[in-house]
Amino acid sequence: MSYQDEEEQVGSFPKDFGYGDFEHESDGNRTSDDKPRILLMGLRRSGKSSIQKVVFHKMSPNETLFLESTNKIVKDDINNNSFVQFQIWDFPGQIDFFDPTFDSDMIFGGCGALVFVIDAQDDYVEALTKLNQTVTKAHKVNPRIKFEVFIHKVDGVSDDFKMESQRDIHSRATDDLIDAGLEGVHLNFHLTSIYDHSIFEAFSKVVQKLIPQLAALENLLNLFIHNSGIEKAFLFDVVSKIYIATDATPVDMQSYELCCDMIDVVIDLSCIYGSRDNPDVPAFDNQSSSIIKMNNSTVLYLREVNKFLALVCIIREESFSRQGVIDYNFLCFREAITQVFELRFKHQKLEAIEQDSDTMEDLRDFGRGDVISSMKRFQD
């Protein structure tokens, strides 16, 4: 079996709501080959394709039971906004690194992150052997790859089983790397299931590592919540419901699930009532916003940032009495985000002309210039 480039197989969203070019930029100078890649690897039937379909193609978890086993490399191009642009390559479980047709330099050379999926409910000895082979080969070609291990299919098992499985897999995988002389390679472990929000949270952390402007986004969110009396804020990719940035306070799984559910409510109601006259108009647009008051003195606050990004906040009811300040600070936040987009766009145009390392460093250390003026406008 050849592992060279195969025909791309990409699922589809509803016509009026899915991935596409961000309205501010077509990103025409950036080809698919230039985008960072996330590789999905693991043994057969470990759940790789199910993860991809559920997270990025809105497939119901129950429908994944009918997916056929992957027998060739499946490429999926994710291009929904300036921050989340990458490819996902889903690899067949029976892939052989020693096959002469397997081009390691091509596969791992442009890879940003490698996600290895392990079925926690199966005997994972063979999976750990495969993980060690994969990490060894990939690190040799590209030492900058981020390695993520999804301990998958943990739905329906006890918390004790989850913790014990994670501890055992972590210990064995780490020992195998030390034996292979790769003490410096760091593996990140995540407990995941497609039947809850854990898979979305895990993929959020993977995608964030591919965003050079992550520190800038987090700083903006920290300023926003500090000056607005907000408990927690997430910057969501609306289509996939992964969050591309959040503030410095710890992420509580229950809060994250609540924010995801709010996005579902807004999209569903918008699809029913928001586009009655023109079905071709996207359900999520610059008029999208929502306020939901909970019965525990908490308010959920959602505002559209751009075509595919939404800010979702959790606010105490007493703090929401200053809604005017929150609304004003959000406008400042959105303006700053727009400037980050513009800076990214300008950089990509420069990069297409020449490789300018100083510009890239300025982009990563973002926090000066015009955007600072927007950040200073946040009101207490």
Side-chain angles (χ1 to χ4, degrees):
M1 178 176 61
S2 172
Y3 300 108
Q4 303 299 326
D5 284 347
E6 297 282 359
E7 178 184 358
E8 295 190 5
Q9 299 179 349
V10 180
S12 60
F13 287 102
K15 184 177 181 180
D16 62 343
F17 188 65
Y19 286 127
D21 290 332
F22 172 48
E23 57 193 2
H24 178 70
E25 58 174 285
S26 65
D27 203 21
N29 293 328
R30 196 170 195 192
T31 64
S32 295
D33 292 337
D34 294 332
K35 297 175 184 176
R37 292 195 293 268
I38 295 177
L39 307 185
L40 274 176
M41 293 186 166
L43 298 183
R44 294 180 77 251
R45 312 305 300 177
S46 59
K48 305 181 298 297
S49 299
S50 299
I51 291 173
Q52 179 190 5
K53 294 296 184 182
V54 169
V55 175
F56 296 103
H57 295 285
K58 299 175 72 176
M59 179 178 284
S60 167
N62 292 328
E63 293 178 22
T64 62
L65 298 173
F66 305 102
L67 288 176
E68 295 183 1
S69 183
T70 304
N71 55 17
K72 64 179 180 180
I73 299 175
V74 179
K75 303 177 184 179
D76 196 356
D77 193 43
I78 305 300
N79 178 29
N80 52 329
N81 58 65
S82 288
F83 296 115
V84 185
Q85 293 184 358
F86 54 89
Q87 284 188 317
I88 294 181
W89 290 18
D90 183 6
F91 282 77
Q94 67 273 22
I95 195 166
D96 182 8
F97 294 124
F98 301 101
D99 191 309
T101 64
F102 185 84
D103 189 346
S104 299
D105 292 336
M106 186 274 291
I107 297 294
F108 298 122
C111 175
L114 191 154
V115 176
F116 195 92
V117 183
I118 295 178
D119 186 348
Q121 299 188 33
D122 197 5
D123 184 7
Y124 44 75
V125 174
E126 183 182 356
L128 288 172
T129 302
K130 189 78 170 183
L131 170 64
N132 185 259
Q133 293 175 349
T134 303
V135 173
T136 302
K137 192 79 170 181
H139 183 74
K140 182 179 180 181
V141 175
N142 183 1
R144 296 184 301 276
I145 293 180
K146 306 291 190 301
F147 294 103
E148 312 287 335
V149 180
F150 284 7
I151 304 172
H152 196 48
K153 300 183 182 180
V154 295
D155 48 278
V157 299
S158 67
D159 290 340
D160 289 341
F161 180 85
K162 292 179 185 179
M163 295 301 107
E164 179 60 26
S165 297
Q166 183 174 15
R167 186 202 60 79
D168 188 38
I169 291 174
H170 183 284
S171 176
R172 293 191 187 192
T174 303
D175 290 343
D176 289 343
L177 289 179
I178 293 175
D179 293 341
L182 298 175
E183 296 90 346
V185 177
H186 179 66
L187 303 178
N188 299 295
F189 295 86
H190 311 269
L191 292 168
T192 60
S193 168
I194 60 173
Y195 292 95
D196 57 32
H197 290 82
S198 60
I199 189 62
F200 296 94
E201 185 186 21
F203 238 108
S204 297
K205 295 177 180 178
V206 174
V207 171
Q208 287 169 19
K209 295 175 183 178
L210 304 181
I211 302 175
Q213 304 86 356
L214 179 62
L217 299 178
E218 290 176 342
N219 287 337
L220 286 172
L221 286 167
N222 287 334
L223 279 170
F224 176 66
I225 69 167
H226 175 72
N227 291 283
S228 305
I230 292 173
E231 296 292 310
K232 187 66 182 173
F234 294 94
L235 189 60
F236 272 97
D237 168 35
V238 177
V239 178
S240 64
K241 291 188 295 186
I242 61 176
Y243 64 94
I244 66 171
T246 186
D247 59 86
T249 60
V251 175
D252 174 58
M253 190 64 177
Q254 187 176 7
S255 299
Y256 172 67
E257 292 177 359
L258 202 58
C259 293
C260 287
D261 291 341
M262 184 183 192
I263 291 176
D264 286 337
V265 169
V266 172
I267 296 299
D268 290 344
L269 290 177
S270 297
C271 288
I272 296 172
Y273 300 107
S275 307
R276 184 184 305 172
D277 297 331
N278 188 355
D280 293 329
V281 174
F284 187 80
D285 56 26
N286 57 7
Q287 300 298 318
S288 296
S289 64
S290 178
I291 297 171
I292 300 177
K293 294 187 177 181
M294 312 294 288
N295 59 6
N296 60 351
S297 300
T298 299
V299 176
L300 299 180
Y301 177 87
L302 180 147
R303 292 291 298 269
E304 183 260 8
V305 176
N306 66 36
K307 186 178 180 182
F308 289 105
L309 288 181
L311 178 71
V312 185
C313 305
I314 299 175
I315 312 171
R316 292 193 181 276
E317 196 167 353
E318 56 267 25
S319 300
F320 196 67
S321 60
R322 303 164 64 237
Q323 184 182 351
V325 173
I326 296 174
D327 290 340
Y328 174 80
N329 285 344
F330 168 75
L331 295 177
C332 297
F333 173 82
R334 183 162 62 180
E335 181 181 340
I337 290 286
T338 301
Q339 291 176 10
V340 176
F341 273 101
E342 292 172 349
L343 186 60
R344 166 78 174 253
F345 184 53
K346 290 177 182 177
H347 168 71
Q348 289 178 350
K349 292 180 69 175
L350 282 174
E351 198 176 46
I353 300 173
E354 60 181 349
Q355 296 296 326
D356 190 341
S357 60
D358 292 334
T359 303
M360 175 62 81
E361 192 63 31
D362 288 343
L363 188 62
R364 291 182 182 276
D365 294 338
F366 165 84
R368 296 184 284 273
D370 293 337
V371 182
I372 279 198
S373 64
S374 294
M375 295 166 67
K376 287 180 177 178
R377 290 169 55 196
F378 285 116
Q379 298 293 307
D380 289 314

